[in-house]
């Protein structure tokens, strides 16, 4: 058994299966596919905030970090669960804020390190929990009207995975997934994106 730590930008931070108005979340797809492929159970510890730049979800006094930490601690203490992976689905807000490629790459490194340390502390494990990251693909949305029509954030994700293989794993881009009128997935898109991540975690490749 194991659980997936998933800091994920969502409009309903503490609801396990809802992504904005699509009524679906990648989290459901992650857990479902991981359990199907491995035959084990999965506990999703979630830290989330809608429209949040990295500094609003990072380690410290941010609500997503505190909420995720409490869930990890409870799962370890009460259920004896161990971390198998962390997942980061993020980047639109940092694109909108003009975060540089180098800064976002450093943010990914920092978050992976902090999440792995948290998992070691509460789960009595001696390995670095890998973080699976996606490349958002919705920078052409009208939501970003007035900003550049390209984005350095997906490039930063690629850089991080190239520089720290095994610790940062690029799961997929999002261009193939169904999006709604803005940067959010449709319900089918959310489910499919999550299922792909669950598959990658379970098997180590896409």
């Amino acid at each position: 058994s194991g659980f997936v730590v998933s800091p994920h930008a969502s409009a309903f931070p503490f609801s396990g299966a809802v992504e904005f108005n699509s009524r679906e979340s990648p989290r459901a797809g992650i857990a479902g596919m991981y359990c199907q492929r491995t035959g084990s159970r999965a506990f999703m510890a979630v830290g989330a905030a809608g429209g949040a730049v990295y500094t609003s979800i990072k380690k410290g006094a941010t609500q997503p970090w505190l909420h995720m930490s409490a869930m990890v601690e409870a799962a370890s203490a009460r259920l004896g669960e161990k971390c198998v992976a962390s997942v980061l689905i993020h980047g639109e807000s940092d694109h909108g804020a003009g975060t540089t490629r180098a800064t976002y790459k450093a943010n990914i490194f920092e978050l992976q390190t902090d999440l792995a340390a948290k998992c070691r502390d509460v789960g009595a494990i001696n390995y670095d929990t890998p973080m699976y990251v996606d490349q958002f693909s919705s920078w052409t949305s009208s939501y970003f009207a007035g900003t550049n029509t390209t984005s350095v954030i997906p490039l930063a994700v690629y850089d991080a995975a190239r520089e720290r293989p095994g610790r940062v794993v690029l799961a997929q881009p999002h261009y193939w997934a169904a999006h709604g009128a803005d940067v959010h997935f449709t319900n089918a898109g959310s489910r499919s994106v999550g299922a792909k991540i669950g598959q990658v975690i379970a098997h180590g490749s896409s």
Side-chain angles (χ1 to χ4, degrees), residues 167-197:
R167 294 178 64 185
V168 178
V169 181
L170 175 53
Q172 65 187 324
H174 287 166
Y175 64 84
W176 64 274
H179 287 69
D182 53 18
V183 300
H184 295 90
F185 301 118
T186 63
N187 58 349
S190 287
R191 195 179 310 115
S192 298
V193 163
K196 176 61 71 174
I197 297 171

Side-chain angles (χ1 to χ4, degrees), residues 19-131:
E19 164 77 21
F20 207 53
N21 59 0
S22 71
R23 318 313 297 170
E24 183 65 59
S25 166
R27 294 187 289 273
I30 294 171
M33 183 59 74
Y34 176 80
C35 293
Q36 177 182 322
R37 293 301 180 94
T38 63
S40 64
R41 64 184 181 183
F43 181 92
M44 300 289 292
V46 180
V53 295
Y54 172 73
T55 53
S56 297
I57 65 171
K58 64 181 291 188
K59 178 182 178 181
T62 67
Q63 190 177 55
W65 178 269
L66 294 174
H67 185 251
M68 182 277 301
S69 294
M71 292 183 72
V72 170
E73 290 165 6
S76 179
R78 299 179 186 180
L79 303 175
E81 298 283 10
K82 310 291 185 185
C83 294
V84 296
S86 62
V87 176
L88 180 66
I89 303 175
H90 187 258
E92 293 92 340
S93 294
D94 276 273
H95 164 76
T99 302
T100 67
R101 181 173 177 175
T103 296
Y104 197 75
K105 179 183 72 172
N107 292 344
I108 292 172
F109 289 161
E110 180 179 66
L111 186 61
Q112 187 275 327
T113 298
D114 290 340
L115 285 168
K118 182 68 180 181
C119 288
R120 283 196 303 272
D121 290 345
V122 302
I125 59 177
N126 60 3
Y127 55 85
D128 252 349
T129 305
M131 186 166 75

